[in-house]
Amino acid sequence: MREKARSRQGFTLIELLAVVALIVILLAIGIPAVMGAVNSAGHKADADCERAARARATARWTTGAAEADFGENNEVVYAYDTESGALVAPGAGTAGGQCRKHGHSGLGLYVKLGEDGSVQLCWAQAGLSGGTAFQWDTNLCGKE
């Protein structure tokens, strides 16, 4: 009987605990590394959106397409649609912010185009109207 009990195949409790401890250590090292990469990618994506929105607004001013949009203040505010890459009416843009470093996650990108061709950017709650007071050119990813 004794020999039968000893010949059973299996893992001891110590072996199982060693494997679990190894997995825990690997997770403790891996999760922060992956989260850092995700945050860095979000930051770079927002910086790319800022560059694209600035270029789109400059192109709109250069071609004269924005002339009809200027109001009494000699400026116009657009929302940048991160899905299509187009400048749309404020309130129509999508929430495309991903940068957690600057708190852009879930925010929309707004572009103010001056009649002189100046372009300013702002991250704010998506769906806001053009009359909302924004803090222009602050907290941007592309300014670092």
Side-chain angles (χ1 to χ4, degrees), residues 13-31:
L13 181 60
I14 299 296
E15 290 170 331
L16 289 175
L17 287 176
V19 170
V20 170
L22 183 62
I23 291 172
V24 168
I25 289 170
L26 290 175
L27 286 175
I29 293 169
I31 289 175

Side-chain angles (χ1 to χ4, degrees), residues 5-142:
R6 287 185 188 166
S7 67
R8 281 192 278 172
Q9 298 291 327
F11 297 105
T12 65
L13 181 60
I14 299 296
E15 290 170 331
L16 289 175
L17 287 176
V19 170
V20 170
L22 183 62
I23 291 172
V24 168
I25 289 170
L26 290 175
L27 286 175
I29 293 169
I31 289 175
V34 169
M35 290 307 297
V38 167
N39 289 339
S40 177
H43 176 72
K44 289 177 183 177
D46 282 1
D48 289 343
C49 283
E50 290 168 5
R51 279 190 293 278
R54 190 177 300 275
R56 182 72 72 160
T58 301
R60 190 163 176 78
W61 179 79
T62 303
T63 60
E67 287 180 18
D69 298 339
F70 290 115
E72 298 172 2
N73 298 335
N74 298 328
E75 61 188 34
V76 62
V77 175
Y78 301 106
Y80 181 72
D81 188 354
T82 56
E83 291 179 6
S84 68
L87 296 176
V88 296
T94 58
Q98 300 174 26
C99 179
R100 291 192 175 134
K101 178 179 179 181
H102 292 102
H104 300 163
S105 186
L107 299 179
L109 180 59
Y110 292 87
V111 181
K112 180 167 70 171
L113 177 60
E115 202 167 38
D116 60 352
S118 62
V119 178
Q120 293 179 309
L121 303 172
C122 175
W123 288 96
Q125 181 182 351
L128 294 177
S129 66
T132 306
F134 294 113
Q135 293 183 348
W136 297 102
D137 284 341
T138 59
N139 201 28
L140 299 176
C141 291

